[in-house]
């Protein structure tokens, strides 16, 4: 048997090294799995969730601009403050759209073009005049521009709704796909760890049994010799340290 030819020190070294390999493999698997999950979360956020939030933020900014138009027309909101808000909101919408636009492509190209057409029309035909009317406190002009806003409103809000809905579905689909992939990877790695652990435990059990059986054989003969019975010999075929000791013990018993 192969184990019979190994020294005890080599057997112990094998157990230690095998244990370290199992431990390192499990640790590496844990770290790799954690990194993959973190990367998946980052991809979901950067490519899916963030653009969805940006689209909803654009929609909220338009909602507030609409409420301010109605508030100024009804003398319930300060015109100057609404003018400042309009200016800042347009800058924020431009920044949000520039960031979200790359993720809106493919099947959403029509909705993207509809939004840009309506938004650019609003900035060209209404935003400048509305800003001026706010600063001059011209509520009548604000009322007239509010009516004109209604011609751009459907194109802006409907296109954003469709893009956001598609983006939300994309987030869900991406999550399900990555979840299934991670589950498969985890199962494979877990299975490999189980197999390696079983092999390690089986090997360690064989080595321990081999060492224990050799020690027991020597102890049994030594007990008989202690009773002044020199007719026994240690029957061992191992070539490790205990096997050498058993051979020397047999020679000593023969000489005695």
């Amino acid at each position: 048997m192969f184990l019979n030819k190994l020294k005890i020190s080599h057997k112990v070294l094998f157990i230690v090294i095998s244990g370290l390999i199992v431990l390192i493999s499990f640790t590496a698997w844990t770290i790799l799995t954690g990194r993959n999950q973190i990367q998946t979360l980052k991809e979901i956020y950067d490519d899916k969730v963030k653009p969805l939030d940006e689209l909803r933020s654009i929609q909220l900014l338009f909602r507030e601009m609409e409420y301010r138009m109605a508030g100024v027309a009804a003398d319930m909101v300060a015109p100057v403050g609404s003018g400042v808000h309009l200016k800042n909101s347009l800058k924020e919408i431009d920044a949000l759209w520039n960031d979200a636009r790359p993720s809106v492509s493919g099947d959403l190209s029509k909705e993207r073009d509809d939004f840009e057409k309506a938004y650019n029309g609003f900035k060209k035909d209404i935003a400048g005049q509305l800003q001026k009317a706010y600063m001059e406190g011209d509520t009548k002009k604000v009322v007239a521009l509010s009516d004109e806003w209604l011609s751009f409103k459907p194109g802006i809000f409907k296109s954003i709704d469709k893009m956001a809905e598609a983006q939300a579905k994309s987030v869900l689909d991406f999550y399900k796909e990555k979840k299934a992939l991670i589950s498969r990877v985890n199962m494979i790695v877990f299975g490999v760890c189980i197999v390696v652990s079983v092999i390690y435990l089986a090997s360690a059990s064989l080595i321990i049994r081999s060492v224990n059986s050799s020690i027991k054989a020597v102890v049994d003969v030594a007990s008989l010799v202690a009773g002044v019975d020199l007719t026994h010999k240690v029957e061992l075929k191992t070539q490790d340290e205990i096997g050498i000791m058993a051979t020397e013990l047999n020679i000593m018993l023969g000489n005695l």
Side-chain angles (χ1 to χ4, degrees):
M1 186 177 178
F2 173 71
L3 293 177
N4 293 337
K5 299 179 181 180
L6 290 178
K7 293 184 178 181
I8 294 177
S9 57
H10 293 166
K11 295 176 183 178
V12 173
L13 184 62
F14 172 79
I15 294 176
V16 173
I17 292 177
S18 299
L20 287 175
I21 291 175
V22 172
L23 179 60
I24 292 172
S25 299
F26 183 77
T27 303
W29 164 69
T30 303
I31 294 174
L32 181 61
T33 302
R35 286 182 177 178
N36 288 339
Q37 291 174 347
I38 291 173
Q39 182 63 30
T40 297
L41 291 175
K42 186 177 183 300
E43 290 178 5
I44 291 176
Y45 177 76
D46 291 343
D47 299 338
K48 309 295 179 181
V49 176
K50 187 179 177 183
L52 176 61
D53 288 342
E54 289 167 342
L55 290 172
R56 289 305 185 189
S57 296
I58 291 173
Q59 193 175 50
L60 289 174
L61 288 169
F62 273 111
R63 289 289 186 193
E64 190 169 353
M65 284 193 290
E66 184 179 33
Y67 293 151
R68 284 184 174 273
M69 279 189 277
V72 171
D75 289 330
M76 296 177 63
V77 179
V80 175
S82 297
V84 174
H85 176 268
L86 175 62
K87 181 179 179 181
N88 294 334
S89 294
L90 291 176
K91 290 182 179 179
E92 189 172 353
I93 290 172
D94 287 339
L96 289 170
W97 179 243
N98 287 335
D99 198 23
R101 192 180 188 280
S103 65
V104 182
S105 58
D107 296 338
L108 297 175
S109 58
K110 181 181 182 303
E111 286 74 15
R112 179 195 62 200
D113 295 341
D114 289 344
F115 170 78
E116 290 182 335
K117 179 180 179 181
Y119 178 46
N120 291 331
F122 169 78
K123 288 197 294 184
K124 178 181 178 182
D125 299 339
I126 297 180
Q129 298 181 61
L130 186 61
Q131 179 77 30
K132 182 178 179 181
Y134 280 149
M135 294 306 177
E136 294 176 353
D138 189 349
T139 56
K140 291 183 178 180
K141 184 65 173 178
V142 172
V143 172
L145 292 172
S146 297
D147 293 336
E148 292 185 34
W149 151 253
L150 296 177
S151 62
F152 297 101
K153 179 180 176 179
I156 291 175
F157 282 95
K158 286 183 179 179
S159 57
I160 289 180
D161 282 336
K162 290 181 179 179
M163 287 187 290
E165 182 180 353
Q167 201 70 17
K169 183 179 182 301
S170 178
V171 170
L172 181 60
D173 293 341
F174 186 82
Y175 165 75
K176 290 180 178 179
E177 178 186 348
K178 288 297 182 180
K179 181 181 178 181
L181 177 60
I182 290 175
S183 296
R184 288 196 298 270
V185 172
N186 288 347
M187 289 298 296
I188 292 172
V189 176
F190 182 73
V192 171
C193 288
I194 291 295
V195 172
V196 172
S197 299
V198 169
I199 294 174
Y200 166 71
L201 292 175
S203 301
S205 177
L206 288 174
I207 291 174
I208 292 172
R209 186 181 302 174
S210 172
V211 174
N212 286 340
S213 63
S214 297
I215 293 175
K216 185 178 182 302
V218 174
V219 170
D220 289 344
V221 172
S223 298
L224 294 172
V225 172
V228 197
D229 185 353
L230 305 180
T231 61
H232 295 276
K233 290 185 178 181
V234 182
E235 299 294 339
L236 281 182
K237 296 180 180 179
T238 59
Q239 299 176 18
D240 56 17
E241 293 88 341
I242 297 178
I244 295 173
M245 181 178 65
T247 300
E248 296 299 325
L249 180 59
N250 289 335
I251 293 173
M252 182 186 70
L253 290 175
N255 292 333
L256 290 174

